[in-house]
Amino acid sequence: MVDKNELIEQTNLAFDFIQKLYIETSYLIREIEASLLEEDERFVIGRPGGYAITGRRSAGLEPTNVNLWPLRKFAVFFAPKDKTETKGGQLITPIGESLRVFYLRIVLDDKDLNEPVVYSGVLYNFGIQRQTKGITRFEHIMTHLEYNENKVFKNAEKIDYEDARIKFQGDLIKNSLFEINDSRDIHEKIIDPSLKLFRKI
């Protein structure tokens, strides 16, 4: 029989740890954002739903949906300032053949994952399928990527994706989240190699 007080303590510790993990991850994203803003491209963070991350969430009670209650995977993107527009006070990133975005995806947990990882790099060579209406900006497809993650990221380091709505390519670098410990690691393992990929395309 499980002791109630021990269960309470374990529950509190679990929530405290997850909250700290989310906070540290948000600091990581904001540090990358600040660094990219200083680059020649003057990268700005994409805002599909405001100043926020994009992830797949559910509040459904079905067992498969309950697994989505904790946020396990999420992404943000950064675009060169000259590839964005402001309409009605909203920053948007129009999709065009020349668009490239700096993409950052964090996976905290997955069935085949031993430890949390960070993917970073470039998505490029975008195309909107003719029959697709309503997709004009990159912000429109961020959630689509998360809902189709098994297809989009099946080979995350070298993406060549196409479906009935969009097509694009990508080159991403994988790092252990727990090996990113300071600003130097952020630059050496995430920003610098990802910018190299971005500028090579």
Side-chain angles (χ1 to χ4, degrees), residues 98-169:
S98 65
L99 178 65
R100 290 170 293 157
V101 298
F102 185 111
Y103 192 74
L104 182 71
R105 186 167 194 257
I106 297 170
V107 182
L108 299 178
D109 182 52
D110 201 6
K111 61 181 180 180
D112 297 321
L113 194 68
N114 293 325
E115 61 180 313
V117 295
V118 180
Y119 291 99
S120 63
V122 58
L123 301 183
Y124 59 95
N125 203 16
F126 293 96
I128 304 300
Q129 308 295 40
R130 287 184 183 175
Q131 65 269 36
T132 302
K133 293 181 180 179
I135 295 180
T136 58
R137 58 184 83 160
F138 188 76
E139 289 82 355
H140 288 150
I141 66 170
M142 282 291 285
T143 303
H144 182 71
L145 300 184
E146 289 302 315
Y147 271 90
N148 293 282
E149 61 161 334
N150 291 333
K151 295 176 183 175
V152 174
F153 302 108
K154 68 179 177 182
N155 180 12
E157 278 102 332
K158 193 67 178 172
I159 299 169
D160 191 359
Y161 181 75
E162 182 172 353
D163 65 21
R165 302 178 72 189
I166 57 166
K167 62 179 181 177
F168 65 92
Q169 294 175 301

Side-chain angles (χ1 to χ4, degrees), residues 66-77:
V66 170
N67 189 50
L68 297 172
W69 286 6
L71 192 57
R72 299 168 188 268
K73 307 167 189 178
F74 43 88
V76 295
F77 78 94

Side-chain angles (χ1 to χ4, degrees), residues 71-93:
L71 192 57
R72 299 168 188 268
K73 307 167 189 178
F74 43 88
V76 295
F77 78 94
F78 305 88
K81 183 126 178 68
D82 66 358
K83 294 293 183 183
T84 65
E85 299 173 3
T86 303
K87 288 186 180 177
Q90 184 181 16
L91 187 70
I92 63 171
T93 312

